[in-house]
Amino acid sequence: MAIALVTGSTSGIGAAFAERLAARGYDLVLVARTAARLEAQAESLRHRYGGAVEVLPADLADPLALREIEARLAAEPFDLLVNNAGFGTNQRFADGDVSEEERQLDVLVRAVLRLTHAAIGPMIRRRQGAVVNVSSVAGFVPGGSYAAAKGWVTSFSEGLAAELDPAGVQVMALCPGFTRTEFHERAGMDVSAIPDRMWLQPDDLVEAALVDLAKGKRVSIPGTTYKVLATAARHAPRRAVAAAYRRARPKR
């Protein structure tokens, strides 16, 4: 039986991954901060799909909690790790709370690095397994600390994919655009000006990501619009890209 670990599993993209994987017959280990939501999610998935679902409540900004998840990943070979846990500060770096910036870095970068490292050891020994690191199209533009963290995730994933390809282990960065999740509301962002056509649905996004993973892609950008925008961002002058991003980004 295949087994997958998904972080940030109780809502949005993480919940869609858990749903799709359970439907495909995976046993699951689900990680999120809120124990009650995890238990409710696990019970629902067990009832509907019949697979084993283990829950690990954890705040990935907490080093001790992070080590517990690392130990779980190292305990047996996982077929898939989905690093999806999110964090957004919605503040200007210069006058914001630097401790919140550090927490964002811990969740979006440090946790991705450490959990990936813990997972790939058993995968390499078995010459089988995959890691999906949820990044963002924001990572292709110079747009503050969140975009910088997501840029790191994409670059890290692409580089590691090349390193591990001979070992039979896949790594893919998933780079969605605006997606209908709880993320923006939790971060206090006003997204009312974003046109409907720009929004992705988590289920569709995850299905596209799993198709890209099966194809062996190293970067998955769901949606034609975002593929075009990401290509433009990579090749346009950086100052122009930064200015366009500042105009388009959600308001605080």
Side-chain angles (χ1 to χ4, degrees):
M1 182 70 73
I3 182 170
L5 187 145
V6 181
T7 69
S9 71
T10 53
S11 65
I13 295 172
F17 264 110
E19 188 82 19
R20 292 280 179 172
L21 294 172
R24 292 184 176 202
Y26 277 76
D27 287 339
L28 298 174
V29 179
L30 304 180
V31 179
R33 288 186 298 173
T34 307
R37 291 186 71 178
L38 273 175
E39 291 290 357
Q41 180 187 29
E43 182 58 32
S44 175
L45 292 172
R46 293 185 197 110
H47 176 73
R48 286 181 293 124
Y49 299 110
V53 184
E54 177 183 348
V55 299
L56 295 176
D59 179 352
L60 296 183
D62 179 348
L64 293 178
L66 182 60
R67 290 193 190 102
E68 291 180 4
I69 309 306
E70 291 178 69
R72 182 65 185 87
L73 284 165
E76 66 176 302
F78 278 75
D79 296 278
L80 178 63
L81 165 64
V82 180
N83 279 314
N84 167 75
F87 195 102
T89 61
N90 193 31
Q91 62 181 11
R92 297 186 186 280
F93 182 79
D95 54 11
D97 181 351
V98 73
S99 65
E100 284 299 288
E101 297 286 350
E102 288 184 306
R103 282 177 56 79
Q104 177 176 259
L105 198 66
D106 285 341
V107 173
L108 299 186
V109 174
R110 188 170 181 271
V112 170
L113 184 148
R114 293 192 66 96
L115 296 184
T116 299
H117 187 269
I120 62 174
M123 291 179 181
I124 291 169
R125 289 191 289 274
R126 196 172 57 158
R127 298 190 62 81
Q128 178 182 335
V131 178
V132 174
N133 291 323
V134 179
S135 184
S136 170
V137 292
F140 297 120
V141 302
S145 57
Y146 177 83
K150 290 302 188 180
W152 180 90
V153 172
T154 302
S155 180
F156 168 69
S157 301
E158 288 186 279
L160 188 59
E163 177 183 333
L164 296 184
D165 186 59
V169 178
Q170 289 181 262
V171 181
M172 185 181 81
L174 170 57
C175 301
F178 290 113
T179 306
R180 296 289 187 188
T181 70
E182 299 175 0
F183 174 81
H184 300 98
E185 182 180 352
R186 285 182 175 181
M189 298 178 183
D190 178 6
V191 294
S192 59
I194 306 300
D196 286 344
R197 67 180 182 277
M198 299 296 292
W199 288 97
L200 302 171
Q201 296 297 329
D203 290 342
D204 297 337
L205 182 159
V206 167
E207 185 62 29
L210 292 174
V211 169
D212 284 347
L213 185 66
K215 292 178 179 178
K217 290 190 177 182
R218 295 178 180 178
V219 177
S220 173
I221 304 173
T224 301
T225 298
Y226 287 110
K227 286 181 173 65
V228 172
L229 290 175
T231 300
R234 284 169 158 172
H235 295 96
R238 302 299 284 169
R239 183 169 296 197
V241 172
Y245 177 79
R246 284 196 300 272
R247 290 193 298 270
R249 68 174 296 176
K251 300 298 185 290
R252 292 172 173 82

